[in-house]
Amino acid sequence: MYIHHKNIITAGLPVDSAAKAIIFLHGRGASAAEILSLNQHLQVNDAALFAPQATNHSWYPYSFMAPVTENQPALDSALSVLKALVEEIEAQGIPQNKIFFVGFSQGACLTLEYVSRNAGRYGGVVAFTGGLIGDQLDLSNYSGDFNQTPILISTGDPDPHVPVSRVNESKKILEEMNAQVTVSIYPGRVHTISKAELELARTLVFQITNS
């Protein structure tokens, strides 16, 4: 059975025959269909795939480094979309430890913010160019125990949107919440997802090795 929402695209296996679920979150100006096509490179074949579409192709209006109040109410709305989707996937029989997240840029920031506010043992988290949200990070927003969930955060150095300093700051918070965090920095890489990052995600988070 598929989960149907007008703003969520699904692909991969039907939920009731999938071993895991992956939630893909697109970046600003992009689409759910575009981020979903990443699975052609990740090649996770035993999963139900979900990609919510942000209104006007943006999860929140300003930079993720802006004061959180400036990105409201859009940010809370985006987080609630994710929460409802996760709950629905769990209700269809896929447990939290088999739910994975893959986000790019704005979607990567939203991914990290969501899982840190709702920490638990997820299947894994991939944040291609992202960090936790806010001009200052409010530790009181983050709760739970990741119980060694594998999390990959990557970025270019320099990246026009995501400073390496915020990636490192995010890593520290996630590790204090018992996540197994890998940070990968790519000097001179433009704002995109490289083949090396996709390969890292396959091996580190999805445990897929090339046979």
Side-chain angles (χ1 to χ4, degrees), residues 6 8 21 24 28 32 46 50 52 66 69-70 73 83-84 88 105 115-116 118 125 157 166 170 179 186 192 209:
K6 62 182 171 64
I8 297 176
F24 289 88
R28 189 188 298 273
D46 57 350
F50 301 89
T69 50
E70 292 183 12
K83 193 169 183 63
E88 218 163 323
S105 192
V115 296
S116 301
N118 302 274
V125 178
D157 184 17
R166 176 52 60 92
S170 303
Y186 297 88
T192 185
T209 49

Side-chain angles (χ1 to χ4, degrees), residues 16-72:
D16 53 13
S17 57
K20 55 177 75 95
I22 310 174
I23 298 171
F24 289 88
L25 290 168
H26 67 76
R28 189 188 298 273
S31 71
E34 284 172 81
I35 191 84
L36 209 50
S37 71
L38 269 189
N39 200 50
Q40 292 167 12
H41 305 283
L42 293 171
Q43 296 176 323
V44 184
N45 299 321
D46 57 350
L49 312 179
F50 301 89
Q53 174 65 54
T55 309
N56 300 324
H57 304 276
S58 182
W59 294 109
Y60 43 83
Y62 300 108
S63 161
F64 85 111
M65 303 280 287
V68 167
T69 50
E70 292 183 12
N71 277 316
Q72 296 295 18

Side-chain angles (χ1 to χ4, degrees), residues 14-206:
V15 184
D16 53 13
S17 57
K20 55 177 75 95
I22 310 174
I23 298 171
F24 289 88
L25 290 168
H26 67 76
R28 189 188 298 273
S31 71
E34 284 172 81
I35 191 84
L36 209 50
S37 71
L38 269 189
N39 200 50
Q40 292 167 12
H41 305 283
L42 293 171
Q43 296 176 323
V44 184
N45 299 321
D46 57 350
L49 312 179
F50 301 89
Q53 174 65 54
T55 309
N56 300 324
H57 304 276
S58 182
W59 294 109
Y60 43 83
Y62 300 108
S63 161
F64 85 111
M65 303 280 287
V68 167
T69 50
E70 292 183 12
N71 277 316
Q72 296 295 18
L75 177 59
D76 280 352
S77 170
L79 290 166
S80 67
V81 165
L82 269 182
K83 193 169 183 63
L85 177 56
V86 168
E87 285 170 358
E88 218 163 323
I89 291 169
E90 288 178 326
Q92 297 285 344
I94 294 181
Q96 186 184 51
N97 68 350
K98 298 288 185 188
I99 298 175
F100 293 76
F101 295 83
V102 176
F104 171 61
S105 192
Q106 195 190 48
C109 298
L110 181 62
T111 294
L112 291 173
E113 191 67 20
Y114 174 79
V115 296
S116 301
R117 289 177 183 226
N118 302 274
R121 181 58 167 97
Y122 295 101
V125 178
V126 180
F128 291 124
T129 312
L132 290 167
I133 294 174
D135 55 337
Q136 303 290 321
L137 295 181
D138 180 357
L139 297 182
S140 68
N141 284 333
Y142 309 127
S143 62
D145 183 334
F146 279 112
N147 197 14
Q148 293 295 291
T149 297
I151 299 180
L152 170 63
I153 310 175
S154 62
T155 194
D157 184 17
D159 181 86
H161 305 288
V162 181
V164 170
S165 58
R166 176 52 60 92
V167 169
N168 290 331
E169 202 181 348
S170 303
K171 174 179 191 268
K172 185 170 178 285
I173 291 169
L174 295 163
E175 284 178 339
E176 284 166 1
M177 297 174 72
N178 197 20
Q180 203 177 337
V181 187
T182 302
V183 163
S184 198
I185 311 286
Y186 297 88
R189 191 216 65 193
V190 295
H191 192 70
T192 185
I193 301 171
S194 67
K195 195 169 176 221
E197 288 163 88
L198 289 161
E199 207 48 55
L200 254 186
R202 277 168 56 84
T203 53
L204 276 175
V205 175
F206 293 102

